[in-house]
Amino acid sequence: MSIIIAGERSGVGKTTVTLTLLASLRRRGVKVQSFKVGPDYIDPMFHQYVTGLPCRNLDAVLTSESYVQQCFHHHSPQSEYTLVEGVMGLFDGISHLSNTNEKTDFASTAHVARLLDIPIILVIDCSRLSGSVAAIAHGYCSLDSRIKVAGLVLNRVGSDRHLSLLKAALSPLQLPILGVLRRQDNITIPDRHLGLIPTAELAELDQIINSLADLGDIYFDWDKLLPLLKSASSPIPNSQFSTPNSAVRIAVARDQAFNFYYQDNLDLLEELGAELVFWSPLNDDQLPKDIQGMYFGGGFPEVFAQQLSKNTSLIQAVKNSILGGIPTIAECGGLMYLCEKIIDFDGNSWSMVGILPTYAQMDKRLTLGYRRAVVLENTFLLDSNKNIFGHEFHRSHVITNSPQPLFNTYRYDCDENTGFEGWNLPNVHASYIHQHWGESREIPQRFIQECLRGCLKSRIP
């Protein structure tokens, strides 16, 4: 048993409800494993901050339906309680062709609930509702008979009179009300152009989490919730790759500017024999010693561009290492860091590593969506003509396209072309497309092998 926190639409308070439940559970001293439906990086940071355990992404587009099941059933039994946060509205997914039948809720919260066969708690924003709340609840419960709504959380409830009206309207449905959150304007998590501000930048986060735990303790029906949250499944063993004879050290950039990583990707690198060395392009004045590879994830280099640019000795060390042949993966924010400059929202220009002969410029337009990307030429990670699946989410663009792009890209759910993308250098994979390697394990395997080859070459006299 476990539950998924779903919303009737985006913005109803799924993350607030999820963090409230997690914070209250952790206050009880229990071990909680959380999951997040979809490709999101930031919400899982908040989960991990509260639980102390890495949050796992469940995304059938970036991985597969079977991987979603395997990931969930492997990690959930290792904790006493399990909680999944959904994505967007309950049925909001994408089109997917399977056995000639088009599914329009593929990768949605409802899809994941069906895959895992676990019930849903539906969060409803009641700020502009009274009697109509029953129609919403009834519609979500009856649209798909394959899913089970175990109860409701009523969010943004006003007065006691408002709550009485909501309860009276919902009474004929006999749906348990598992929690009621009042309008709490004083409990907010600040956001910016790509969503919530990450945990590492919030000095007041402990106070916010404690306040949410207080709400959870008081306003949730724990007698009904705890049995739903209890972990009960048995682990499904993961398939293992053979570990290379010699471990390699891979420098993973992780600080306030670079922090978008799927935990499963990091785990895979370690399973394959890599020693991950975390370091900070913001604060360190040199690279870690004796490394054979570098991995730059996404994040917010544009927010910290001035500080990054001032770290000139580190920038030169990164550039020299790449020019010296060290295999490097740079995703989204990592790609921006490898450009000559970042031009921020105010038009200020900040010098970066300069491996990619272009500028990354911020703008208001959001590039968002799943991608099917066709590899154009062989790289040290990928073979030509291979299809890979990833996700884009950024408000910057490079002002000069690569003469040797990595991919020709398409929307995931149709053949609409979204253009050439990425930079293919002999030892650099730089792309705006985020990938989850759960069903593409040959990528970290080839990365490790390339790092090993470079390590052996450096030992030849």
Side-chain angles (χ1 to χ4, degrees), residues 178-193:
L178 301 175
V180 176
L181 291 178
R182 302 294 182 122
R183 295 171 188 164
Q184 297 288 335
D185 294 335
N186 59 322
I187 303 178
T188 58
I189 301 174
D191 59 7
R192 60 177 172 227
H193 55 280

Side-chain angles (χ1 to χ4, degrees), residues 174-349:
Q174 297 184 328
L175 272 174
I177 297 174
L178 301 175
V180 176
L181 291 178
R182 302 294 182 122
R183 295 171 188 164
Q184 297 288 335
D185 294 335
N186 59 322
I187 303 178
T188 58
I189 301 174
D191 59 7
R192 60 177 172 227
H193 55 280
L194 291 181
L196 297 179
I197 293 178
T199 55
E201 299 180 49
L202 298 176
E204 71 280 12
L205 185 54
D206 285 340
Q207 180 181 346
I208 293 172
I209 298 303
N210 285 331
S211 296
L212 291 174
D214 291 340
L215 294 179
D217 291 347
I218 298 170
Y219 295 116
F220 282 84
D221 188 337
W222 289 101
D223 289 338
K224 294 178 181 177
L225 275 169
L226 287 176
L228 295 173
L229 289 159
K230 191 75 175 175
S231 296
S233 57
S234 300
I236 296 176
N238 280 333
S239 60
Q240 297 288 326
F241 282 104
S242 59
T243 302
N245 293 328
S246 300
V248 297
R249 283 166 58 86
I250 296 176
V252 181
R254 187 164 70 180
D255 57 18
Q256 292 174 316
F258 303 97
N259 45 36
F260 289 6
Y261 296 97
Y262 294 124
Q263 183 63 40
D264 289 7
N265 288 2
L266 301 177
D267 289 350
L268 277 169
L269 288 170
E270 290 184 321
E271 287 174 16
L272 291 165
E275 177 189 353
L276 303 184
V277 185
F278 296 100
W279 66 288
S280 171
L282 281 172
N283 303 311
D284 294 338
D285 58 5
Q286 60 184 356
L287 284 167
K289 301 293 186 184
D290 302 321
I291 58 170
Q292 290 85 43
M294 293 192 294
Y295 185 8
F296 295 91
F300 292 99
E302 67 275 14
V303 175
F304 301 95
Q306 182 176 10
Q307 186 178 345
L308 288 168
S309 70
K310 287 182 177 179
N311 198 350
T312 54
S313 61
L314 191 281
I315 282 177
Q316 192 60 49
V318 171
K319 186 172 186 177
N320 290 342
S321 295
I322 294 175
L323 292 176
I326 192 168
T328 301
I329 296 176
E331 285 186 345
C332 200
L335 175 150
M336 296 168 65
Y337 184 57
L338 296 191
C339 291
E340 292 178 350
K341 295 180 184 293
I342 290 177
I343 303 172
D344 64 23
F345 284 110
D346 296 323
N348 300 312
S349 180

Side-chain angles (χ1 to χ4, degrees), residues 94-153:
I94 58 175
S95 298
H96 180 76
L97 295 176
S98 177
N99 298 324
T100 71
N101 295 318
E102 186 174 14
K103 302 176 182 179
T104 58
D105 71 345
F106 191 81
S108 68
T109 305
H111 180 207
V112 171
R114 296 194 302 265
L115 288 175
L116 303 180
D117 192 25
I118 58 178
I120 289 164
I121 292 178
L122 184 67
V123 180
I124 300 179
D125 179 356
C126 300
S127 58
R128 294 175 177 84
L129 290 173
S130 57
S132 297
V133 69
I136 293 172
H138 176 70
Y140 278 83
C141 291
S142 60
L143 182 65
D144 187 341
S145 61
R146 297 169 294 176
I147 64 173
K148 173 179 172 55
V149 176
L152 306 176
V153 171

Side-chain angles (χ1 to χ4, degrees), residues 255-461:
D255 57 18
Q256 292 174 316
F258 303 97
N259 45 36
F260 289 6
Y261 296 97
Y262 294 124
Q263 183 63 40
D264 289 7
N265 288 2
L266 301 177
D267 289 350
L268 277 169
L269 288 170
E270 290 184 321
E271 287 174 16
L272 291 165
E275 177 189 353
L276 303 184
V277 185
F278 296 100
W279 66 288
S280 171
L282 281 172
N283 303 311
D284 294 338
D285 58 5
Q286 60 184 356
L287 284 167
K289 301 293 186 184
D290 302 321
I291 58 170
Q292 290 85 43
M294 293 192 294
Y295 185 8
F296 295 91
F300 292 99
E302 67 275 14
V303 175
F304 301 95
Q306 182 176 10
Q307 186 178 345
L308 288 168
S309 70
K310 287 182 177 179
N311 198 350
T312 54
S313 61
L314 191 281
I315 282 177
Q316 192 60 49
V318 171
K319 186 172 186 177
N320 290 342
S321 295
I322 294 175
L323 292 176
I326 192 168
T328 301
I329 296 176
E331 285 186 345
C332 200
L335 175 150
M336 296 168 65
Y337 184 57
L338 296 191
C339 291
E340 292 178 350
K341 295 180 184 293
I342 290 177
I343 303 172
D344 64 23
F345 284 110
D346 296 323
N348 300 312
S349 180
W350 307 103
S351 295
M352 295 292 138
V353 175
I355 287 294
L356 307 181
T358 187
Y359 296 178
Q361 182 167 12
M362 303 305 299
D363 58 35
K364 294 181 180 180
R365 184 175 67 90
L366 176 64
T367 300
L368 170 66
Y370 290 111
R371 299 288 182 261
R372 176 175 66 88
V374 181
V375 182
L376 295 172
E377 297 180 3
N378 288 337
T379 78
F380 71 95
L381 294 181
L382 299 163
D383 294 328
S384 63
N385 298 317
K386 180 178 178 63
N387 284 288
I388 66 103
F389 301 99
H391 187 263
E392 284 192 84
F393 188 44
H394 53 92
R395 290 189 186 272
S396 71
H397 65 277
V398 291
I399 63 173
T400 303
N401 291 326
S402 170
Q404 289 184 293
L406 275 171
F407 304 120
N408 194 8
T409 64
Y410 302 84
R411 279 181 48 184
Y412 173 81
D413 54 351
C414 67
D415 289 329
E416 179 185 330
N417 185 266
T418 49
F420 295 107
E421 200 279 329
W423 291 74
N424 179 13
L425 303 178
N427 60 309
V428 175
H429 173 105
S431 171
Y432 271 117
I433 295 177
H434 294 284
Q435 289 182 260
H436 189 298
W437 299 334
E439 288 288 11
S440 305
R441 298 187 177 197
E442 70 278 3
I443 294 176
Q445 191 170 38
R446 287 173 64 160
F447 186 35
I448 294 284
Q449 291 168 349
E450 191 69 18
C451 293
L452 280 171
R453 275 194 288 269
C455 180
L456 292 172
K457 287 178 184 177
S458 67
R459 295 173 183 171
I460 297 173

Side-chain angles (χ1 to χ4, degrees), residues 19-39:
L19 293 177
T20 299
L21 292 170
L22 292 176
S24 191
L25 284 167
R26 286 297 293 143
R27 180 176 281 178
R28 294 163 185 254
V30 299
K31 190 176 180 182
V32 189
Q33 176 62 58
S34 70
F35 298 85
K36 170 66 181 178
V37 179

